[in-house]
Amino acid sequence: MSVVIVGGHDRMVCRYKKICKEHNCKAKVFTQMSARLSEQIGSPDLLILFTNTVSHKMVKCAITEAEKCNADIVRCHTSSGTALNEILTNVCMA
C-alpha cells in the first residue's frame, strides 16, 4: 500500500516513514509546500492529512490529486506517531 502524508513536523519525517514501513506501506511525506507538490504526490492508495500543521493551500492541492486517483483520504488533527500508527492499523485491518 502506498501512503502520502501531508503535514506534520519536519523532525518526525523519519519516524513517519518507519511507522509506515512497520505496516508494510511505502510512504512519501510532505511537511512543507513545494512548487511541484501536485506532481510529486503521484497516485497513492491513502492520503493522510495532519490538519493542525498544514496550510490550506497544501490541503487543497493534496485533496485534488488524491481525488484524481480515487485514494482514501484520512484527516487527523494530531500529527503524532501514535495517531499515524492508529490510522494505519485501522486502514490495514479494513
mmCIF file of all heavy atoms in Angstrom, residues 9-50:
data_model
loop_
_atom_site.group_PDB
_atom_site.id
_atom_site.type_symbol
_atom_site.label_atom_id
_atom_site.label_comp_id
_atom_site.label_asym_id
_atom_site.label_seq_id
_atom_site.Cartn_x
_atom_site.Cartn_y
_atom_site.Cartn_z
ATOM 1 N N HIS A 9 5.412 17.400 11.388
ATOM 2 C CA HIS A 9 6.603 18.141 11.777
ATOM 3 C C HIS A 9 7.821 17.626 11.028
ATOM 4 O O HIS A 9 7.963 16.423 10.796
ATOM 5 C CB HIS A 9 6.836 18.008 13.283
ATOM 6 C CG HIS A 9 5.716 18.559 14.103
ATOM 7 N ND1 HIS A 9 5.507 19.904 14.267
ATOM 8 C CD2 HIS A 9 4.720 17.940 14.778
ATOM 9 C CE1 HIS A 9 4.442 20.095 15.019
ATOM 10 N NE2 HIS A 9 3.944 18.918 15.349
ATOM 11 N N ASP A 10 8.726 18.538 10.688
ATOM 12 C CA ASP A 10 9.941 18.170 9.961
ATOM 13 C C ASP A 10 10.750 17.118 10.712
ATOM 14 O O ASP A 10 11.285 16.194 10.114
ATOM 15 C CB ASP A 10 10.826 19.397 9.723
ATOM 16 C CG ASP A 10 10.197 20.396 8.766
ATOM 17 O OD1 ASP A 10 9.370 19.973 7.937
ATOM 18 O OD2 ASP A 10 10.536 21.591 8.849
ATOM 19 N N ARG A 11 10.826 17.255 12.009
ATOM 20 C CA ARG A 11 11.655 16.342 12.799
ATOM 21 C C ARG A 11 11.056 14.939 12.897
ATOM 22 O O ARG A 11 11.724 14.019 13.344
ATOM 23 C CB ARG A 11 11.871 16.911 14.198
ATOM 24 C CG ARG A 11 10.608 16.985 15.028
ATOM 25 C CD ARG A 11 10.880 17.557 16.412
ATOM 26 N NE ARG A 11 9.703 17.578 17.218
ATOM 27 C CZ ARG A 11 8.816 18.560 17.250
ATOM 28 N NH1 ARG A 11 9.001 19.631 16.494
ATOM 29 N NH2 ARG A 11 7.759 18.498 18.027
ATOM 30 N N MET A 12 9.810 14.762 12.474
ATOM 31 C CA MET A 12 9.127 13.471 12.573
ATOM 32 C C MET A 12 9.130 12.677 11.270
ATOM 33 O O MET A 12 8.616 11.563 11.231
ATOM 34 C CB MET A 12 7.680 13.687 13.023
ATOM 35 C CG MET A 12 7.519 14.157 14.445
ATOM 36 S SD MET A 12 7.825 12.863 15.638
ATOM 37 C CE MET A 12 6.394 11.834 15.399
ATOM 38 N N VAL A 13 9.709 13.217 10.206
ATOM 39 C CA VAL A 13 9.647 12.566 8.893
ATOM 40 C C VAL A 13 10.187 11.138 8.952
ATOM 41 O O VAL A 13 9.539 10.205 8.462
ATOM 42 C CB VAL A 13 10.388 13.394 7.826
ATOM 43 C CG1 VAL A 13 10.504 12.626 6.525
ATOM 44 C CG2 VAL A 13 9.675 14.709 7.590
ATOM 45 N N CYS A 14 11.342 10.944 9.542
ATOM 46 C CA CYS A 14 11.925 9.595 9.638
ATOM 47 C C CYS A 14 11.028 8.671 10.461
ATOM 48 O O CYS A 14 10.872 7.490 10.128
ATOM 49 C CB CYS A 14 13.318 9.652 10.245
ATOM 50 S SG CYS A 14 14.524 10.419 9.169
ATOM 51 N N ARG A 15 10.446 9.188 11.505
ATOM 52 C CA ARG A 15 9.546 8.390 12.354
ATOM 53 C C ARG A 15 8.292 7.988 11.577
ATOM 54 O O ARG A 15 7.842 6.857 11.666
ATOM 55 C CB ARG A 15 9.172 9.205 13.594
ATOM 56 C CG ARG A 15 8.263 8.483 14.551
ATOM 57 C CD ARG A 15 9.052 7.793 15.650
ATOM 58 N NE ARG A 15 8.132 7.278 16.640
ATOM 59 C CZ ARG A 15 7.803 5.985 16.728
ATOM 60 N NH1 ARG A 15 8.350 5.114 15.919
ATOM 61 N NH2 ARG A 15 6.960 5.577 17.634
ATOM 62 N N TYR A 16 7.712 8.925 10.812
ATOM 63 C CA TYR A 16 6.538 8.612 9.994
ATOM 64 C C TYR A 16 6.855 7.489 9.012
ATOM 65 O O TYR A 16 6.084 6.552 8.852
ATOM 66 C CB TYR A 16 6.066 9.837 9.208
ATOM 67 C CG TYR A 16 5.563 11.003 10.027
ATOM 68 C CD1 TYR A 16 5.705 12.302 9.564
ATOM 69 C CD2 TYR A 16 4.919 10.827 11.251
ATOM 70 C CE1 TYR A 16 5.244 13.394 10.284
ATOM 71 C CE2 TYR A 16 4.459 11.912 11.988
ATOM 72 C CZ TYR A 16 4.623 13.189 11.496
ATOM 73 O OH TYR A 16 4.154 14.265 12.211
ATOM 74 N N LYS A 17 8.004 7.586 8.347
ATOM 75 C CA LYS A 17 8.391 6.562 7.368
ATOM 76 C C LYS A 17 8.616 5.211 8.042
ATOM 77 O O LYS A 17 8.252 4.169 7.495
ATOM 78 C CB LYS A 17 9.644 7.001 6.608
ATOM 79 C CG LYS A 17 9.368 8.125 5.633
ATOM 80 C CD LYS A 17 10.602 8.497 4.852
ATOM 81 C CE LYS A 17 10.293 9.620 3.872
ATOM 82 N NZ LYS A 17 11.463 9.979 3.070
ATOM 83 N N LYS A 18 9.206 5.222 9.230
ATOM 84 C CA LYS A 18 9.448 3.982 9.971
ATOM 85 C C LYS A 18 8.131 3.313 10.354
ATOM 86 O O LYS A 18 7.978 2.095 10.214
ATOM 87 C CB LYS A 18 10.273 4.279 11.218
ATOM 88 C CG LYS A 18 10.628 3.055 12.024
ATOM 89 C CD LYS A 18 11.453 3.417 13.245
ATOM 90 C CE LYS A 18 11.723 2.184 14.093
ATOM 91 N NZ LYS A 18 12.366 2.531 15.356
ATOM 92 N N ILE A 19 7.172 4.099 10.814
ATOM 93 C CA ILE A 19 5.864 3.559 11.193
ATOM 94 C C ILE A 19 5.169 2.963 9.974
ATOM 95 O O ILE A 19 4.584 1.877 10.042
ATOM 96 C CB ILE A 19 4.996 4.645 11.857
ATOM 97 C CG1 ILE A 19 5.576 5.018 13.224
ATOM 98 C CG2 ILE A 19 3.550 4.170 12.010
ATOM 99 C CD1 ILE A 19 4.978 6.258 13.849
ATOM 100 N N CYS A 20 5.250 3.651 8.855
ATOM 101 C CA CYS A 20 4.638 3.134 7.624
ATOM 102 C C CYS A 20 5.291 1.826 7.195
ATOM 103 O O CYS A 20 4.607 0.889 6.776
ATOM 104 C CB CYS A 20 4.733 4.163 6.503
ATOM 105 S SG CYS A 20 3.647 5.576 6.745
ATOM 106 N N LYS A 21 6.597 1.752 7.322
ATOM 107 C CA LYS A 21 7.327 0.539 6.948
ATOM 108 C C LYS A 21 6.899 -0.641 7.823
ATOM 109 O O LYS A 21 6.790 -1.774 7.352
ATOM 110 C CB LYS A 21 8.827 0.775 7.051
ATOM 111 C CG LYS A 21 9.661 -0.297 6.421
ATOM 112 C CD LYS A 21 11.124 0.101 6.390
ATOM 113 C CE LYS A 21 11.935 -0.949 5.652
ATOM 114 N NZ LYS A 21 13.345 -0.582 5.550
ATOM 115 N N GLU A 22 6.637 -0.375 9.114
ATOM 116 C CA GLU A 22 6.178 -1.420 10.031
ATOM 117 C C GLU A 22 4.826 -1.988 9.611
ATOM 118 O O GLU A 22 4.490 -3.118 9.929
ATOM 119 C CB GLU A 22 6.095 -0.877 11.453
ATOM 120 C CG GLU A 22 7.447 -0.610 12.078
ATOM 121 C CD GLU A 22 7.357 0.158 13.384
ATOM 122 O OE1 GLU A 22 6.227 0.465 13.841
ATOM 123 O OE2 GLU A 22 8.414 0.460 13.964
ATOM 124 N N HIS A 23 4.034 -1.184 8.898
ATOM 125 C CA HIS A 23 2.720 -1.611 8.412
ATOM 126 C C HIS A 23 2.783 -2.042 6.943
ATOM 127 O O HIS A 23 1.747 -2.138 6.280
ATOM 128 C CB HIS A 23 1.702 -0.478 8.576
ATOM 129 C CG HIS A 23 1.322 -0.228 10.003
ATOM 130 N ND1 HIS A 23 0.324 -0.921 10.643
ATOM 131 C CD2 HIS A 23 1.830 0.615 10.927
ATOM 132 C CE1 HIS A 23 0.215 -0.496 11.881
ATOM 133 N NE2 HIS A 23 1.127 0.440 12.084
ATOM 134 N N ASN A 24 3.984 -2.275 6.431
ATOM 135 C CA ASN A 24 4.211 -2.689 5.041
ATOM 136 C C ASN A 24 3.647 -1.679 4.034
ATOM 137 O O ASN A 24 3.012 -2.061 3.053
ATOM 138 C CB ASN A 24 3.630 -4.084 4.786
ATOM 139 C CG ASN A 24 4.298 -5.130 5.629
ATOM 140 O OD1 ASN A 24 5.520 -5.111 5.804
ATOM 141 N ND2 ASN A 24 3.522 -6.043 6.169
ATOM 142 N N CYS A 25 3.873 -0.415 4.300
ATOM 143 C CA CYS A 25 3.424 0.651 3.416
ATOM 144 C C CYS A 25 4.617 1.459 2.921
ATOM 145 O O CYS A 25 5.564 1.690 3.673
ATOM 146 C CB CYS A 25 2.478 1.604 4.148
ATOM 147 S SG CYS A 25 0.978 0.830 4.748
ATOM 148 N N LYS A 26 4.557 1.877 1.669
ATOM 149 C CA LYS A 26 5.547 2.807 1.139
ATOM 150 C C LYS A 26 5.027 4.203 1.411
ATOM 151 O O LYS A 26 3.857 4.489 1.176
ATOM 152 C CB LYS A 26 5.727 2.608 -0.362
ATOM 153 C CG LYS A 26 6.376 1.309 -0.735
ATOM 154 C CD LYS A 26 6.577 1.232 -2.232
ATOM 155 C CE LYS A 26 7.242 -0.071 -2.620
ATOM 156 N NZ LYS A 26 7.436 -0.148 -4.076
ATOM 157 N N ALA A 27 5.892 5.081 1.890
ATOM 158 C CA ALA A 27 5.431 6.404 2.307
ATOM 159 C C ALA A 27 6.194 7.529 1.629
ATOM 160 O O ALA A 27 7.404 7.444 1.423
ATOM 161 C CB ALA A 27 5.553 6.548 3.814
ATOM 162 N N LYS A 28 5.447 8.575 1.306
ATOM 163 C CA LYS A 28 6.017 9.860 0.918
ATOM 164 C C LYS A 28 5.503 10.850 1.949
ATOM 165 O O LYS A 28 4.321 10.832 2.298
ATOM 166 C CB LYS A 28 5.532 10.294 -0.463
ATOM 167 C CG LYS A 28 6.085 9.515 -1.612
ATOM 168 C CD LYS A 28 5.579 10.124 -2.918
ATOM 169 C CE LYS A 28 6.021 9.331 -4.110
ATOM 170 N NZ LYS A 28 5.460 9.897 -5.359
ATOM 171 N N VAL A 29 6.381 11.695 2.437
ATOM 172 C CA VAL A 29 6.000 12.658 3.472
ATOM 173 C C VAL A 29 6.307 14.066 2.982
ATOM 174 O O VAL A 29 7.431 14.347 2.557
ATOM 175 C CB VAL A 29 6.739 12.381 4.797
ATOM 176 C CG1 VAL A 29 6.298 13.364 5.867
ATOM 177 C CG2 VAL A 29 6.509 10.950 5.257
ATOM 178 N N PHE A 30 5.307 14.935 3.056
ATOM 179 C CA PHE A 30 5.468 16.332 2.667
ATOM 180 C C PHE A 30 5.077 17.211 3.847
ATOM 181 O O PHE A 30 3.908 17.303 4.193
ATOM 182 C CB PHE A 30 4.584 16.669 1.463
ATOM 183 C CG PHE A 30 4.882 15.838 0.249
ATOM 184 C CD1 PHE A 30 4.099 14.739 -0.066
ATOM 185 C CD2 PHE A 30 5.955 16.138 -0.566
ATOM 186 C CE1 PHE A 30 4.373 13.962 -1.177
ATOM 187 C CE2 PHE A 30 6.245 15.371 -1.681
ATOM 188 C CZ PHE A 30 5.450 14.281 -1.987
ATOM 189 N N THR A 31 6.070 17.826 4.485
ATOM 190 C CA THR A 31 5.787 18.707 5.619
ATOM 191 C C THR A 31 5.783 20.166 5.191
ATOM 192 O O THR A 31 5.266 21.008 5.911
ATOM 193 C CB THR A 31 6.819 18.514 6.746
ATOM 194 O OG1 THR A 31 8.121 18.748 6.218
ATOM 195 C CG2 THR A 31 6.734 17.109 7.325
ATOM 196 N N GLN A 32 6.366 20.450 4.047
ATOM 197 C CA GLN A 32 6.432 21.822 3.526
ATOM 198 C C GLN A 32 5.849 21.847 2.119
ATOM 199 O O GLN A 32 5.941 20.867 1.390
ATOM 200 C CB GLN A 32 7.886 22.305 3.461
ATOM 201 C CG GLN A 32 8.640 22.253 4.764
ATOM 202 C CD GLN A 32 8.139 23.274 5.758
ATOM 203 O OE1 GLN A 32 7.781 24.376 5.385
ATOM 204 N NE2 GLN A 32 8.120 22.906 7.029
ATOM 205 N N MET A 33 5.294 22.976 1.745
ATOM 206 C CA MET A 33 4.743 23.146 0.400
ATOM 207 C C MET A 33 5.892 23.328 -0.586
ATOM 208 O O MET A 33 6.722 24.211 -0.420
ATOM 209 C CB MET A 33 3.824 24.376 0.366
ATOM 210 C CG MET A 33 3.185 24.637 -0.961
ATOM 211 S SD MET A 33 1.934 23.432 -1.302
ATOM 212 C CE MET A 33 1.285 24.039 -2.839
ATOM 213 N N SER A 34 5.958 22.461 -1.579
ATOM 214 C CA SER A 34 6.958 22.614 -2.627
ATOM 215 C C SER A 34 6.276 23.122 -3.897
ATOM 216 O O SER A 34 5.054 23.025 -4.040
ATOM 217 C CB SER A 34 7.671 21.290 -2.898
ATOM 218 O OG SER A 34 6.768 20.356 -3.435
ATOM 219 N N ALA A 35 7.049 23.635 -4.808
ATOM 220 C CA ALA A 35 6.494 24.222 -6.026
ATOM 221 C C ALA A 35 5.777 23.177 -6.876
ATOM 222 O O ALA A 35 4.802 23.494 -7.555
ATOM 223 C CB ALA A 35 7.600 24.892 -6.832
ATOM 224 N N ARG A 36 6.248 21.942 -6.837
ATOM 225 C CA ARG A 36 5.683 20.898 -7.681
ATOM 226 C C ARG A 36 5.002 19.807 -6.854
ATOM 227 O O ARG A 36 5.063 18.640 -7.203
ATOM 228 C CB ARG A 36 6.783 20.295 -8.536
ATOM 229 C CG ARG A 36 7.436 21.281 -9.459
ATOM 230 C CD ARG A 36 8.606 20.716 -10.202
ATOM 231 N NE ARG A 36 8.658 19.257 -10.148
ATOM 232 C CZ ARG A 36 9.357 18.506 -10.962
ATOM 233 N NH1 ARG A 36 10.079 19.049 -11.883
ATOM 234 N NH2 ARG A 36 9.367 17.191 -10.840
ATOM 235 N N LEU A 37 4.324 20.183 -5.807
ATOM 236 C CA LEU A 37 3.694 19.207 -4.921
ATOM 237 C C LEU A 37 2.701 18.326 -5.670
ATOM 238 O O LEU A 37 2.683 17.117 -5.487
ATOM 239 C CB LEU A 37 2.997 19.907 -3.749
ATOM 240 C CG LEU A 37 2.300 18.987 -2.739
ATOM 241 C CD1 LEU A 37 3.323 18.114 -2.027
ATOM 242 C CD2 LEU A 37 1.510 19.795 -1.737
ATOM 243 N N SER A 38 1.906 18.908 -6.537
ATOM 244 C CA SER A 38 0.884 18.131 -7.245
ATOM 245 C C SER A 38 1.508 17.045 -8.116
ATOM 246 O O SER A 38 0.939 15.969 -8.280
ATOM 247 C CB SER A 38 -0.001 19.041 -8.085
ATOM 248 O OG SER A 38 0.774 19.733 -9.040
ATOM 249 N N GLU A 39 2.694 17.294 -8.655
ATOM 250 C CA GLU A 39 3.380 16.299 -9.478
ATOM 251 C C GLU A 39 4.053 15.234 -8.617
ATOM 252 O O GLU A 39 4.219 14.094 -9.055
ATOM 253 C CB GLU A 39 4.427 16.973 -10.357
ATOM 254 C CG GLU A 39 3.844 17.942 -11.362
ATOM 255 C CD GLU A 39 4.919 18.749 -12.069
ATOM 256 O OE1 GLU A 39 6.095 18.356 -12.019
ATOM 257 O OE2 GLU A 39 4.560 19.785 -12.650
ATOM 258 N N GLN A 40 4.456 15.582 -7.414
ATOM 259 C CA GLN A 40 5.199 14.670 -6.560
ATOM 260 C C GLN A 40 4.307 13.688 -5.799
ATOM 261 O O GLN A 40 4.770 12.630 -5.393
ATOM 262 C CB GLN A 40 6.044 15.459 -5.561
ATOM 263 C CG GLN A 40 7.137 16.264 -6.219
ATOM 264 C CD GLN A 40 7.864 17.176 -5.242
ATOM 265 O OE1 GLN A 40 7.303 17.594 -4.236
ATOM 266 N NE2 GLN A 40 9.114 17.481 -5.548
ATOM 267 N N ILE A 41 3.049 14.028 -5.619
ATOM 268 C CA ILE A 41 2.157 13.170 -4.839
ATOM 269 C C ILE A 41 1.951 11.824 -5.524
ATOM 270 O O ILE A 41 1.957 10.787 -4.879
ATOM 271 C CB ILE A 41 0.809 13.876 -4.571
ATOM 272 C CG1 ILE A 41 1.032 14.984 -3.544
ATOM 273 C CG2 ILE A 41 -0.242 12.890 -4.079
ATOM 274 C CD1 ILE A 41 -0.186 15.813 -3.244
ATOM 275 N N GLY A 42 1.785 11.816 -6.817
ATOM 276 C CA GLY A 42 1.594 10.564 -7.543
ATOM 277 C C GLY A 42 0.188 10.028 -7.370
ATOM 278 O O GLY A 42 -0.781 10.782 -7.315
ATOM 279 N N SER A 43 0.066 8.698 -7.271
ATOM 280 C CA SER A 43 -1.253 8.072 -7.118
ATOM 281 C C SER A 43 -1.242 7.117 -5.926
ATOM 282 O O SER A 43 -1.108 5.901 -6.076
ATOM 283 C CB SER A 43 -1.654 7.340 -8.395
ATOM 284 O OG SER A 43 -0.665 6.402 -8.742
ATOM 285 N N PRO A 44 -1.377 7.651 -4.727
ATOM 286 C CA PRO A 44 -1.328 6.813 -3.516
ATOM 287 C C PRO A 44 -2.635 6.063 -3.287
ATOM 288 O O PRO A 44 -3.680 6.407 -3.855
ATOM 289 C CB PRO A 44 -1.110 7.843 -2.414
ATOM 290 C CG PRO A 44 -1.813 9.057 -2.915
ATOM 291 C CD PRO A 44 -1.568 9.060 -4.401
ATOM 292 N N ASP A 45 -2.573 5.044 -2.449
ATOM 293 C CA ASP A 45 -3.777 4.341 -2.011
ATOM 294 C C ASP A 45 -4.444 5.098 -0.870
ATOM 295 O O ASP A 45 -5.660 5.026 -0.691
ATOM 296 C CB ASP A 45 -3.430 2.923 -1.541
ATOM 297 C CG ASP A 45 -2.836 2.085 -2.656
ATOM 298 O OD1 ASP A 45 -3.393 2.106 -3.765
ATOM 299 O OD2 ASP A 45 -1.804 1.424 -2.417
ATOM 300 N N LEU A 46 -3.628 5.810 -0.088
ATOM 301 C CA LEU A 46 -4.127 6.504 1.093
ATOM 302 C C LEU A 46 -3.429 7.851 1.239
ATOM 303 O O LEU A 46 -2.202 7.929 1.110
ATOM 304 C CB LEU A 46 -3.870 5.653 2.344
ATOM 305 C CG LEU A 46 -4.220 6.243 3.701
ATOM 306 C CD1 LEU A 46 -5.729 6.456 3.828
ATOM 307 C CD2 LEU A 46 -3.721 5.344 4.820
ATOM 308 N N LEU A 47 -4.203 8.880 1.493
ATOM 309 C CA LEU A 47 -3.660 10.214 1.770
ATOM 310 C C LEU A 47 -4.010 10.558 3.208
ATOM 311 O O LEU A 47 -5.180 10.510 3.596
ATOM 312 C CB LEU A 47 -4.271 11.255 0.832
ATOM 313 C CG LEU A 47 -3.919 12.707 1.135
ATOM 314 C CD1 LEU A 47 -2.451 12.977 0.814
ATOM 315 C CD2 LEU A 47 -4.804 13.653 0.354
ATOM 316 N N ILE A 48 -2.990 10.867 4.002
ATOM 317 C CA ILE A 48 -3.201 11.254 5.398
ATOM 318 C C ILE A 48 -2.869 12.734 5.528
ATOM 319 O O ILE A 48 -1.771 13.162 5.174
ATOM 320 C CB ILE A 48 -2.324 10.422 6.351
ATOM 321 C CG1 ILE A 48 -2.670 8.940 6.220
ATOM 322 C CG2 ILE A 48 -2.497 10.893 7.794
ATOM 323 C CD1 ILE A 48 -1.747 8.013 6.987
ATOM 324 N N LEU A 49 -3.836 13.503 6.031
ATOM 325 C CA LEU A 49 -3.648 14.941 6.240
ATOM 326 C C LEU A 49 -3.564 15.212 7.732
ATOM 327 O O LEU A 49 -4.507 14.932 8.471
ATOM 328 C CB LEU A 49 -4.828 15.718 5.656
ATOM 329 C CG LEU A 49 -5.002 15.688 4.150
ATOM 330 C CD1 LEU A 49 -6.348 16.280 3.772
ATOM 331 C CD2 LEU A 49 -3.895 16.456 3.478
ATOM 332 N N PHE A 50 -2.437 15.736 8.164
ATOM 333 C CA PHE A 50 -2.308 16.199 9.544
ATOM 334 C C PHE A 50 -2.721 17.672 9.539
ATOM 335 O O PHE A 50 -1.916 18.560 9.275
ATOM 336 C CB PHE A 50 -0.882 16.011 10.057
ATOM 337 C CG PHE A 50 -0.514 14.576 10.292
ATOM 338 C CD1 PHE A 50 0.711 14.078 9.876
ATOM 339 C CD2 PHE A 50 -1.371 13.720 10.954
ATOM 340 C CE1 PHE A 50 1.064 12.757 10.104
ATOM 341 C CE2 PHE A 50 -1.027 12.390 11.193
ATOM 342 C CZ PHE A 50 0.189 11.910 10.760
#
